[in-house]
Amino acid sequence: MRRYGKHTDEDDIRSRPNRKGNRPRTHIRPKHEDASWGMVLTVDRGRLTVLVEDRIVMAMKARELGRKAAVVGDRVALVGDLSGQKDTLARIVRIEERTSVLRRTADDDDPYERVVVANADQLAIVTALADPEPRPRLIDRCLVAAFDGGLTPLLVMTKSDLAPPDKLLELYGDLDIPYVVTSREELESGAAVDRVREQLDGKITAFVGHSGVGKTTLVNALVPEDRRRLTGHVNAVTGRGRHTTTSALALPLAGDDGWVIDTPGLRSFGLHHVDPSRVIHAFPDLEPGTENCPRACSHDEPDCALDAWVAEGHADPARLYSLRRLLSTRERTEGD
Ligand SMILES: Nc1nc2c(ncn2[C@@H]2O[C@H](COP(=O)(O)OP(=O)(O)OP(=O)(O)O)[C@@H](O)[C@H]2O)c(=O)[nH]1
Ligand SMILES: [Mg+2]
Ligand SMILES: [Zn+2]
């Protein structure tokens, strides 16, 4: 009788509609029921800093996680010493299912994929208008990774004090992708910070782009120093020399209104993991032109309808060139 009753109980629980993940209760027997949840802020080799409530906890992966690695942005369950005191180390026993994944490979022909950031809502693709020169093909690659990984893109064009944004806006201004242009003066006056903030509120935004485009400068302008100190990361940007960012780092915006994640500069953005047929989704301006393509068109073949469509003036030929280049070099290494 008792046993029977117990079973009914379990069935009830099992059929409750909104149980997280809808997993059958009996298969995943959560060990460490008492674990606390936190968000990964940095990963330095095997050591992770995790925000648990309002404490910064140092942690390492528990052996039971196997080869699975936690990355910045991951929500993890921890056990052990969660006091956040010096020389303590907690253990990460679970990684929550990710809502988005920003992946890249070193090159297109490199099968080893790395998760750069987990659970970001938005990908801020940062490009300097000069010093270093804009690289539209890197922007396009980041757009592909954003669409593929479930992140909404935002274009940030920095250093408008050095060069005007006209040429890039011709390429990207009409794409229905939000963009912000910033300059040194506007960063210092706060005007640029307000404009960027408008696009970030309530979201987790990862900043990516070539080294030297101004990601850290922008992130530091967005996150007041006391907030940065809170998470234990005040990168001393001293007068002498520039500090290139060497690992990803999540920082809270003021008012608990979202997060920004600074990442190291990119040279290339390999897309080995992206199915070529999905690349077109990162070109919303060209997508309508594929309506008359042959079935399963790769958009990089003689019968592709895009050539005629673009020739009719529906889109900028430079964009088609970029798509083709991405498609044709996807299996090889592409330089800058
Ligand atoms: N003229 C000008 N210089 C800027 C602007 N924003 C940033 N810089 C400068 O550009 C240089 C690089 O800035 P960082 O913020 O370190 O660039 P980053 O993208 O974080 O670089 P990595 O960490 O190497 O990826 C620094 O010397 C900044 O002072 C800007 O709007 N105008
Ligand atoms: Mg940096
Ligand atoms: Zn086609």
Side-chain angles (χ1 to χ4, degrees), residues 131-132 135 138 159 209-215 242 244-245 264-267:
D131 186 27
R135 290 174 170 77
L138 183 61
K159 310 198 190 186
H210 198 275
S211 180
V213 295
K215 298 179 293 296
R242 186 172 72 78
T244 190
T245 308
L266 298 165
R267 291 207 126 268

Side-chain angles (χ1 to χ4, degrees), residues 23-322:
R23 295 188 191 108
R25 183 178 148 84
T26 41
H27 288 303
I28 300 206
R29 174 180 49 91
K31 267 201 245 166
H32 313 296
E33 299 258 17
D34 55 338
S36 303
W37 287 93
M39 174 182 170
V40 176
L41 304 184
T42 64
V43 180
D44 183 8
R45 275 152 274 161
R47 293 291 161 100
L48 298 92
T49 53
V50 184
L51 181 71
V52 181
E53 286 160 23
D54 56 355
R55 298 185 307 282
I56 299 298
V57 172
M58 291 294 291
M60 59 181 288
K61 203 169 90 161
R63 196 173 298 146
E64 63 207 77
L65 273 183
R67 292 184 53 214
K68 215 170 161 193
V71 302
V72 172
D74 261 324
R75 282 183 268 276
V76 295
L78 305 111
V79 295
D81 191 334
L82 305 178
S83 66
Q85 265 152 33
K86 206 164 169 272
D87 297 329
T88 60
L89 199 57
R91 280 182 307 128
I92 296 173
V93 291
R94 282 200 298 282
I95 302 174
E96 194 174 52
E97 203 174 310
R98 294 164 176 161
T99 58
S100 77
V101 189
L102 179 67
R103 288 190 177 86
R104 65 180 284 243
T105 55
D107 291 313
D108 286 344
D109 50 9
D110 180 358
Y112 177 72
E113 68 178 60
R114 285 193 291 164
V115 177
V116 185
V117 168
N119 300 323
D121 305 300
Q122 185 164 249
L123 186 67
I125 303 165
V126 187
T127 311
L129 293 162
D131 186 27
E133 287 304 304
R135 290 174 170 77
R137 286 194 298 275
L138 183 61
I139 299 176
D140 293 337
R141 287 173 163 272
C142 292
L143 286 172
V144 171
F147 284 104
D148 200 66
L151 295 85
T152 317
L154 166 71
L155 295 176
V156 181
M157 305 174 198
T158 61
K159 310 198 190 186
S160 69
D161 49 299
L162 302 181
D166 315 21
K167 256 165 71 188
L168 269 191
L169 284 180
E170 253 171 53
L171 287 178
Y172 297 98
D174 300 329
L175 292 193
D176 267 344
I177 297 171
Y179 67 86
V180 196
V181 181
T182 69
S183 66
R184 181 177 304 284
E185 292 74 37
E186 291 172 307
L187 276 180
E188 279 159 11
S189 75
V193 178
D194 292 345
R195 271 205 309 277
V196 178
R197 258 310 284 268
E198 267 174 43
Q199 304 288 337
L200 307 182
D201 284 348
K203 296 177 189 145
I204 300 178
T205 305
F207 286 72
V208 297
H210 198 275
S211 180
V213 295
K215 298 179 293 296
T216 302
T217 306
L218 189 56
V219 164
N220 285 353
L222 286 160
V223 181
E225 194 177 321
D226 55 333
R227 302 284 293 181
R228 275 181 271 147
R229 207 183 294 279
L230 202 72
T231 50
H233 301 285
V234 184
N235 27 4
V237 181
T238 51
R240 202 169 57 85
R242 186 172 72 78
H243 291 250
T244 190
T245 308
T246 52
S247 61
L249 156 64
L251 291 162
L253 289 166
D256 289 327
D257 221 3
W259 288 82
V260 288
I261 301 176
D262 192 7
T263 69
L266 298 165
R267 291 207 126 268
S268 61
F269 202 112
L271 297 170
H272 183 88
H273 56 288
V274 178
D275 181 339
S277 69
R278 295 173 56 88
V279 169
I280 184 71
H281 302 315
F283 291 78
D285 48 335
L286 299 179
E287 220 172 352
T290 62
E291 232 163 67
N292 295 323
C293 282
R295 260 184 74 99
C297 180
S298 68
H299 309 309
D300 191 24
E301 54 193 73
D303 288 343
C304 179
L306 278 171
D307 298 87
W309 191 77
V310 169
E312 282 163 23
H314 295 290
D316 190 329
R319 293 281 297 162
L320 180 55
Y321 176 76
S322 184

